[in-house]
Amino acid sequence: MVEKHSQTAMPDLRRLLALASSYLHGVDLAPLTRAYEFVCDRHAGHLHVSGESYVQHLFDVATTLASMKLDLDSIVAGLLHGTLKEGVATVAELEDLFGPEVASIVNGTTRITNVPYNSKLTNTKLAQAENTRKLFLAMSADIRVLLVKLADRLQDMVTLGSADEKRRRHVAGETMDLFAPLAGRLGIDWMKRELEDLSFQYLFPAEYADITARLESSLVQRQAYVDEVKAILNKKLRANNINPVRIIGRPKHLYSIYRKLVAQNISLERVYDKVAFRIIVHSVKECYEALGTVHADWPPVPGRIKDFISVPKANNYQSLHTTVIGPHDYFIEIQIRTEDMDRVAQEGIAAHWAYKEGQKINVKDVRLFKSIKRLVHNLQEVEDHREFLESVRGELFESDVYALTPTGEVRELPAGSTPLDFAYSIHTAVGDHCSGAKVNGLLVTLKYKLQHGDIVEIITRKNQQPKRAWLQIVKTSRARTRIRQWLRREEKEKSLHLGREICERELKKHDATLKKLVKSGHIRMLLKSLHCNSLDDMLVKVGSGVISVPALLRALQPEEFRAAEEKRLEKELLEKTKRSEQGPAAAPAKEVIDIDGMDDMLVRISQCCKPVPGDDIIGFITTGRGISIHKVDCPNLRMTDPQRWMAVTWSGSTRTRHRCKVLIRAENRKNILADISSTIGFDDADIIELNARTTADNLAELSVVLEVVDLGHLQLILQHLRQMSSVIEVRRR
């Protein structure tokens, strides 16, 4: 909420009108004057959270939008964007005074509430995810909602220094994670840089102050170097009949330098490309000629040449990039582009604004808006709020690889992306059924790392399905989320089918069926007893082992049977308590399985599931062979008669070793068996049996029988195996 203040000076409207009229030729600016007068009246005496006049904040937002040369409705909405949030106007009132489009933009920005982006609280994460969903939905309906929100956030960041530290870190974290990448996605490069540097100042104040001071101390030397390089470039280009429009040398923004320091673990003195040079020429032909001229005397750094002219980014960005070893053996980054390309690079979406009066949407606009719609669609498919926030960050990554479909459509991906990432970027179904890929006409494995400019053809097979091992291959959050969704859906279907079989089998013993329970209404009592929301929820929980068969049986028993069972259990508990009060028996400590209060029974560990101390277990009464001990989720146990099940628990010392089976999938490389054996041995476990084979995907698959002390010992071994870089999957069998 804003506070009230007795008197504040109003900003000069003439400055905003002059800025708008400089490019909105022939447009009636009366709505802008009315909007200014409206907010001066409704927000009179109000203060922004920064302490400045609230009207001044609104004016600065509108001025930012005008400097981006947006349409009149966007600027008016910028002035009015706080009216609904502060309750000084209604949507109907805004529609009546300023038209439906302005009201819609203001309403869209208002629905996006302020939720701390980096909070670890689950309920805040949920609210934050829903808030971010609203932002993307509003952005999808009208991109101007996001542009107003970005201008608002920029002004919030400029005045953030007056806030307390907790708020500064919250707002800066949200800006760095969400709003700066969104500005980059829209191609508004100057805003992205400003938001990142302002966020950097509050998230890492010590590092920010250190880099700022050290760069300022070397300002004179850097400026001399910039002047030297510009003069050399100008001379080189003109000697080759290229007359550049201009050559610009500017310092890289602070956050990009800091990222390089962290990523490469180097000192500031070793960051030679602190200055980026930009050559502006007249035509595309001259762009490539200029690149050749630069490379003629200054050798390029391998892997740092990128052609975004022939393969533009989704936000319409076009330029040639190269990093060369320049004068005095310093690395310098050079970008080469035309005047029009430079305007798009700076203004982004605003350079091709589809809402400008008298303009028709062009092919580039269609491509950009299609990209944004696809982004929103991909995110709306993610249901889990934790995965949603992860997907947002993943979708807004800095693209390092620009690969193409056979038809020339560009896909932007992070470094290290594979054909699977490419497949899921096209469509979920393409990813799910991906069986292979051709890159530049040659067959490659699914682990192949895509390179800039690769032409990728995805091979699909109808019976191909996602594998859990794919999670270790993919790089993008989009692919990872889709694979997880498929695996969860598949697991749920299996659990649903198995749960139905178990329930029908047990109900049959009571002369009942699920259909009868539903028809009679008794299913409601059963669901309430088992704390389930629906019949399918109960069946899935039974099939997955969340609800054990004994628990299901107790819920199915008539009330009088249940009361008798509870009395029996109480009696047994009382007897156990009396025995414990008499003191322990004089016997050597050994591994014992306490079987429902009865002693001296023949007990053996089942070899099908190999439980170890710490596992939840159930005993099965065999014919003439005593009690067989199984894990509660053992598939073989589920197929037996529950009437022969007994409650059992681990007790006594756990010094006896127990056998368990583990499945390991890893990269099929030299010495992999020795490395895995060494890891297991380091954790003081014995390998009793080991079988290895090579899969069709050229993976090493190992079935290992181990001897461990208990479940904690086993989990430690599994954790250390999973930490091995070559290991893809480890699970107990």
Side-chain angles (χ1 to χ4, degrees):
M1 288 291 290
V2 293
E3 299 175 1
K4 286 201 171 183
H5 193 264
S6 56
Q7 254 188 347
T8 51
M10 293 295 105
D12 187 355
L13 176 63
R14 289 174 297 180
R15 184 160 61 91
L16 180 58
L17 289 171
L19 186 59
S21 62
S22 67
Y23 69 93
L24 291 175
H25 306 298
V27 177
D28 182 8
L29 300 181
L32 197 56
T33 303
R34 292 202 311 273
Y36 176 77
E37 292 170 351
F38 186 82
V39 297
C40 285
D41 175 54
R42 298 297 173 95
H43 292 294
H46 290 187
L47 293 182
H48 187 249
V49 290
S50 64
E52 71 174 1
S53 158
Y54 196 70
V55 173
Q56 182 65 55
H57 167 75
L58 300 173
F59 184 84
D60 290 342
V61 170
T63 301
T64 299
L65 295 167
S67 69
M68 295 166 67
K69 298 184 178 180
L70 297 188
D71 65 317
L72 181 62
D73 284 345
S74 297
I75 304 171
V76 172
L79 270 175
L80 298 168
H81 81 266
T83 53
L84 298 182
K85 182 173 67 176
E86 300 304 326
V88 298
T90 65
V91 175
E93 192 174 10
L94 294 181
E95 283 185 356
D96 184 51
L97 291 172
F98 304 102
E101 287 204 13
V102 169
S104 176
I105 298 169
V106 175
N107 193 28
T109 59
T110 305
R111 287 200 304 270
I112 305 163
T113 56
N114 183 26
V115 179
Y117 196 70
N118 286 324
S119 173
K120 294 181 180 178
L121 298 175
T122 303
N123 59 339
T124 306
K125 282 277 189 185
L126 179 59
Q128 173 193 330
E130 290 310 308
N131 182 46
T132 309
R133 284 185 196 276
K134 290 177 184 177
L135 170 60
F136 282 102
L137 283 172
M139 170 179 118
S140 165
D142 191 334
I143 199 68
R144 291 176 293 182
V145 170
L146 178 57
L147 291 169
V148 172
K149 191 67 181 174
L150 285 172
D152 179 35
R153 178 50 58 102
L154 179 61
Q155 293 307 316
D156 285 344
M157 291 300 298
V158 168
T159 59
L160 192 59
S162 60
D164 60 66
E165 184 181 356
K166 185 178 179 182
R167 174 173 169 76
R168 286 201 301 266
R169 293 192 66 82
H170 276 162
V171 175
E174 182 182 50
T175 302
M176 185 71 85
D177 281 352
L178 183 62
F179 289 102
L182 277 171
R185 188 67 179 239
L186 299 185
I188 312 173
D189 189 53
W190 68 269
M191 183 179 283
K192 176 179 180 289
R193 291 198 307 270
E194 283 197 34
L195 289 173
E196 284 182 341
D197 279 353
L198 288 166
S199 300
F200 176 41
Q201 178 180 355
Y202 298 115
L203 292 174
F204 306 98
E207 292 85 345
Y208 176 87
D210 178 56
I211 293 176
T212 302
R214 291 163 71 184
L215 287 178
E216 285 180 354
S217 68
S218 62
L219 185 61
V220 175
Q221 297 95 312
R222 280 190 292 117
Q223 188 57 53
Y225 186 72
V226 168
D227 293 341
E228 179 185 355
V229 171
K230 285 171 63 176
I232 295 172
L233 282 173
N234 194 51
K235 185 177 179 181
K236 281 174 172 286
L237 293 169
R238 292 186 184 279
N240 285 276
N241 298 317
I242 302 169
N243 296 315
V245 177
R246 59 186 179 277
I247 300 174
I248 304 165
R250 62 167 180 80
K252 285 192 170 182
H253 68 296
L254 295 177
Y255 183 62
S256 70
I257 294 175
Y258 173 73
R259 276 194 310 182
K260 181 165 287 189
L261 295 178
V262 173
Q264 299 181 11
N265 193 25
I266 56 177
S267 64
L268 183 63
E269 290 71 25
R270 292 185 59 200
V271 181
Y272 299 126
D273 54 340
K274 302 183 191 79
V275 179
F277 292 89
R278 191 183 312 147
I279 301 171
I280 312 299
V281 294
H282 294 90
S283 66
V284 172
K285 179 174 177 286
E286 285 189 344
C287 287
Y288 289 99
E289 289 173 347
L291 181 66
T293 300
V294 169
H295 286 172
D297 293 327
W298 294 340
V301 177
R304 295 297 300 272
I305 305 170
K306 291 185 178 178
D307 183 354
F308 294 115
I309 294 179
S310 58
V311 184
K313 293 185 180 183
N315 59 21
N316 292 333
Y317 176 89
Q318 289 182 290
S319 185
L320 295 177
H321 288 196
T322 185
T323 299
V324 298
I325 303 173
H328 312 297
D329 291 333
Y330 281 1
F331 289 91
I332 55 175
E333 181 184 303
I334 300 176
Q335 301 169 354
I336 306 169
R337 59 182 73 142
T338 65
E339 188 84 85
D340 184 57
M341 291 175 191
D342 190 54
R343 185 168 56 87
V344 172
Q346 296 306 306
E347 300 176 17
I349 194 170
H352 295 285
W353 187 238
Y355 290 96
K356 287 180 182 177
E357 285 77 5
Q359 289 191 13
K360 291 183 178 181
I361 190 165
N362 60 30
V363 175
K364 289 184 177 180
D365 292 335
V366 171
R367 182 171 171 266
L368 175 55
F369 288 119
K370 184 179 177 182
S371 169
I372 293 170
K373 291 280 188 181
R374 185 168 60 239
L375 163 67
V376 175
H377 174 73
N378 289 334
L379 290 172
Q380 294 309 316
E381 286 184 349
V382 184
E383 297 177 2
D384 184 88
H385 69 273
R386 290 172 293 263
E387 285 191 6
F388 177 81
L389 293 173
E390 179 189 334
S391 296
V392 168
R393 295 184 185 96
E395 290 286 353
L396 298 177
F397 58 77
E398 285 278 0
S399 303
D400 293 306
V401 174
Y402 296 81
L404 294 85
T405 66
T407 58
E409 190 174 350
V410 180
R411 286 288 183 268
E412 301 183 8
L413 301 164
S417 292
T418 66
L420 277 174
D421 293 295
F422 189 92
Y424 277 104
S425 76
I426 296 172
H427 196 278
T428 300
V430 176
D432 286 348
H433 298 295
C434 175
S435 61
K438 287 183 179 180
V439 174
N440 303 323
L442 300 175
L443 280 171
V444 297
T445 68
L446 294 180
K447 287 185 177 181
Y448 171 83
K449 300 293 189 292
L450 297 175
Q451 305 298 314
H452 183 70
D454 277 348
I455 300 174
V456 185
E457 179 185 350
I458 298 299
I459 302 168
T460 59
R461 209 169 56 229
K462 199 171 184 180
N463 59 351
Q464 177 66 56
Q465 295 176 338
K467 299 178 175 65
R468 190 168 295 276
W470 285 7
L471 292 172
Q472 307 300 321
I473 297 174
V474 295
K475 181 76 173 178
T476 59
S477 61
R478 182 187 309 177
R480 194 172 295 111
T481 298
R482 299 302 182 273
I483 294 167
R484 284 175 182 162
Q485 285 177 340
W486 190 93
L487 292 172
R488 277 200 300 266
R489 191 165 55 247
E490 185 73 5
E491 189 63 33
K492 185 176 180 180
E493 288 175 3
K494 288 179 181 177
S495 297
L496 183 66
H497 179 71
L498 180 58
R500 188 177 296 277
E501 283 186 359
I502 293 171
C503 288
E504 290 288 14
R505 185 187 69 205
E506 299 307 324
L507 284 169
K508 190 175 181 181
K509 296 173 184 176
H510 293 270
D511 194 28
T513 62
L514 285 171
K515 191 174 181 180
K516 287 181 180 178
L517 286 179
V518 172
K519 192 173 182 180
S520 66
H522 286 91
I523 192 68
R524 287 194 296 272
M525 292 187 294
L526 182 60
L527 294 177
K528 185 178 179 181
S529 173
L530 293 170
H531 306 290
C532 296
N533 299 322
S534 64
L535 176 58
D536 278 1
D537 183 32
M538 182 193 78
L539 296 178
V540 168
K541 286 179 177 177
V542 171
S544 63
V546 174
I547 297 175
S548 65
V549 175
L552 178 65
L553 289 173
R554 286 194 296 272
L556 289 171
Q557 284 175 345
E559 191 62 39
E560 58 272 19
F561 283 17
R562 196 178 306 172
E565 178 69 9
E566 288 174 359
K567 285 182 179 180
R568 186 183 72 80
L569 292 174
E570 285 177 10
K571 183 179 178 182
E572 288 179 0
L573 180 60
L574 183 61
E575 288 176 356
K576 285 184 181 181
T577 305
K578 286 179 179 178
R579 284 201 301 271
S580 65
E581 289 173 352
Q582 294 170 1
K590 62 177 183 177
E591 185 62 53
V592 179
I593 299 176
D594 182 22
I595 304 179
D596 211 21
M598 291 180 283
D599 301 321
D600 301 324
M601 294 193 71
L602 178 62
V603 177
R604 64 185 181 84
I605 300 295
S606 167
Q607 294 304 299
C608 58
C609 57
K610 291 183 171 62
V612 298
D615 283 327
D616 293 327
I617 52 175
I618 288 179
F620 175 71
I621 304 171
T622 65
T623 305
R625 290 183 296 162
I627 309 298
S628 176
I629 306 302
H630 296 256
K631 289 167 60 180
V632 293
D633 58 355
C634 176
N636 289 344
L637 180 69
R638 291 179 183 175
M639 304 305 291
T640 62
D641 184 358
Q643 298 299 324
R644 296 166 67 182
W645 293 2
M646 298 189 69
V648 294
T649 55
W650 299 102
S651 63
S653 168
T654 56
R655 296 192 182 279
T656 304
R657 295 262 175 167
H658 291 263
R659 295 187 178 186
C660 60
K661 186 179 286 187
V662 173
L663 178 69
I664 305 169
R665 287 194 177 94
E667 293 176 3
N668 188 19
R669 63 167 177 79
K670 188 178 180 181
N671 295 327
I672 186 64
L673 288 176
D675 291 347
I676 288 173
S677 299
S678 176
T679 300
I680 293 170
F682 186 80
D683 285 328
D684 193 29
D686 294 324
I687 298 177
I688 305 303
E689 182 181 334
L690 189 150
N691 292 303
R693 73 181 188 91
T694 303
T695 68
D697 296 328
N698 196 31
L699 296 178
E701 185 174 282
L702 289 73
S703 179
V704 186
V705 177
L706 305 175
E707 272 195 350
V708 297
V709 175
D710 55 19
L711 184 61
H713 186 198
L714 173 61
Q715 288 174 339
L716 181 67
I717 296 167
L718 298 183
Q719 178 186 347
H720 289 164
L721 286 170
R722 290 187 181 111
Q723 289 171 350
M724 294 177 64
S725 59
S726 297
V727 171
I728 294 170
E729 180 187 13
V730 181
R731 61 183 170 86
R732 195 171 163 190
R733 296 188 70 176

